[in-house]
Amino acid sequence: MNLIVVSDVLCVTVVQGQNGWSVNYTSTQICALKGSTVDLNCTYTYPSRVKDNDTEVERTFWFTKDSNYVYVDLRTDSEYSGRVQYHCDKNNCTLRITDLRESDSAEYKFRFITNQPEGEYTGSLGVTLTVTELKCHSSCHLSDGSSYIWKKNGQDISGQTSNSYSGNFDSTDSYSCAVKGHEKFPSLSLLVVDSVVFCVTAGHWGVMYSSTQICALKGSSAKINCTYIYPSRINDHDIEIKETFWFTKGPDNDPVNLSTDSEYSGRVQYHCDKNDCTLRITDLRESDSAEYKFRFITNQPGGKYTGSPGVTLTVTGNIFI
């Protein structure tokens, strides 16, 4: 009996604009779990002056509904009451939706309004959010009355007996399921990171990337994020992390640390906190277009792991309208 849980996510950066006005979404397709929290991100630009008048931003908001060019701010939408937060800093704005519902599946767009005549702009291609349940599926035919067992971090979750998991998800906790009476055949463990589900490899070694496809402009900066996991003990010995780094060159068994690569000299920063690690590359060049992977090394013999496939970064000097 094979038990599996499936969740898909696709992340693509889109650059769009006209005469200096633009809204760029970090991802245009996001899949998230019911009951979890999701962040939708964008960056917006506008001309600093129009006809000798300085441009000032007067209002920013996200929406899903519009009628005859009347846009409904999500913060005033009763369906999202108490579940929506904005975090805007300079020209970046993030929408956070908590306690996700399947009815939240929609296309989300960002809009900003300035003091200029007709100085309003909406990103025409928004972010399509799909909210789905975490379900337990079996390759065997089961009766409609079958009962299921769910575990979080290896511990039984009381009250969860259906094939659909209901409840809030905690970041970096792992989940698995089994048919009651067949507990010897559980599903693979799944790790929830930022509302996205990742399959945890056997032995609980893994690297999960927030996005697998990133597009950035020449001269700008890019951030590549990952979360990694590993067993706490092997053969009665505690596991300790000795080294973490990112790379693009060399085989997986002997990769070259980016921080020592002369082509990236002075342009690479690592920020690692617990099991999260971010690579920041500044002053991007088109030659930086490559597949980036994260690697961690432990104190165990052979205790090395690389997340594969990695994150494909595409650096371009073109803006498409």
Side-chain angles (χ1 to χ4, degrees):
M1 178 185 294
N2 294 321
L3 293 171
I4 57 173
V5 185
V6 178
S7 179
D8 298 316
V9 64
L10 172 66
C11 295
V12 180
T13 297
V14 171
V15 179
Q16 53 184 327
Q18 183 176 0
N19 299 326
W21 302 82
S22 70
V23 174
N24 309 322
Y25 298 103
T26 303
S27 301
T28 58
Q29 299 282 340
I30 295 178
C31 182
L33 293 172
K34 180 181 177 181
S36 66
T37 296
V38 70
D39 287 344
L40 281 60
N41 309 292
C42 77
T43 300
Y44 61 99
T45 63
Y46 52 88
S48 59
R49 292 175 64 84
V50 176
K51 296 181 179 178
D52 296 327
N53 294 319
D54 291 339
T55 303
E56 297 179 4
V57 176
E58 297 179 339
R59 185 184 172 200
T60 60
F61 62 95
W62 292 78
F63 69 94
T64 61
K65 303 171 184 176
D66 67 273
S67 177
N68 295 324
Y69 300 101
V70 176
Y71 306 90
V72 179
D73 186 333
L74 281 181
R75 290 172 296 191
T76 66
D77 191 327
S78 59
E79 295 180 17
Y80 295 86
S81 179
R83 299 191 299 121
V84 165
Q85 299 172 10
Y86 294 168
H87 178 71
C88 299
D89 181 26
K90 297 180 180 178
N91 287 47
N92 300 299
C93 202
T94 298
L95 162 66
R96 169 166 288 186
I97 310 174
T98 60
D99 189 22
L100 283 169
R101 308 167 182 174
E102 289 183 89
S103 59
D104 293 335
S105 297
E107 183 182 34
Y108 292 79
K109 295 182 180 181
F110 176 80
R111 184 169 180 82
F112 64 95
I113 300 173
T114 73
N115 61 330
Q116 300 289 355
E118 300 181 356
E120 305 180 10
Y121 196 87
T122 295
S124 59
L125 293 175
V127 181
T128 299
L129 171 66
T130 303
V131 181
T132 183
E133 289 184 313
L134 188 60
K135 288 191 175 183
C136 199
H137 298 278
S138 174
S139 60
C140 301
H141 178 72
L142 300 173
S143 65
D144 293 339
S146 295
S147 183
Y148 294 78
I149 295 173
W150 288 86
K151 293 178 181 289
K152 181 171 78 171
N153 299 327
Q155 301 297 316
D156 288 352
I157 304 174
S158 62
Q160 296 286 343
T161 59
S162 72
N163 70 328
S164 297
Y165 180 86
S166 61
N168 294 324
F169 290 91
D170 298 318
S171 183
T172 68
D173 283 334
S174 63
Y175 298 81
S176 64
C177 63
V179 178
K180 192 171 184 179
H182 300 276
E183 288 86 348
K184 291 184 179 180
F185 303 96
S187 71
L188 291 174
S189 293
L190 297 171
L191 186 71
V192 178
V193 180
D194 294 335
S195 80
V196 178
V197 176
F198 299 90
C199 184
V200 178
T201 58
H204 297 285
W205 297 80
V207 174
M208 290 66 67
Y209 298 107
S210 299
S211 300
T212 57
Q213 299 282 340
I214 295 177
C215 181
L217 289 174
K218 179 180 177 182
S220 68
S221 298
K223 287 184 178 181
I224 304 176
N225 310 294
C226 78
T227 298
Y228 62 98
I229 59 172
Y230 53 91
S232 59
R233 292 175 66 84
I234 292 181
N235 297 329
D236 295 326
H237 294 287
D238 292 337
I239 294 184
E240 299 177 4
I241 298 295
K242 293 297 186 181
E243 185 180 3
T244 60
F245 61 92
W246 294 81
F247 70 94
T248 61
K249 300 175 183 177
D252 283 353
N253 61 351
D254 190 23
V256 178
N257 188 336
L258 273 184
S259 63
T260 66
D261 190 328
S262 60
E263 294 182 18
Y264 294 86
S265 179
R267 299 190 298 120
V268 165
Q269 299 172 6
Y270 296 164
H271 178 72
C272 298
D273 182 22
K274 295 181 179 178
N275 287 48
D276 299 309
C277 201
T278 299
L279 162 67
R280 180 183 176 86
I281 309 174
T282 60
D283 189 22
L284 283 170
R285 308 167 183 173
E286 291 185 78
S287 59
D288 294 334
S289 297
E291 182 183 29
Y292 292 78
K293 295 180 180 180
F294 177 80
R295 184 169 179 82
F296 64 92
I297 301 174
T298 73
N299 61 333
Q300 296 293 324
K304 305 176 181 181
Y305 196 91
T306 295
S308 185
V311 180
T312 300
L313 172 65
T314 303
V315 181
T316 178
N318 298 321
I319 296 179
F320 300 97
I321 297 176

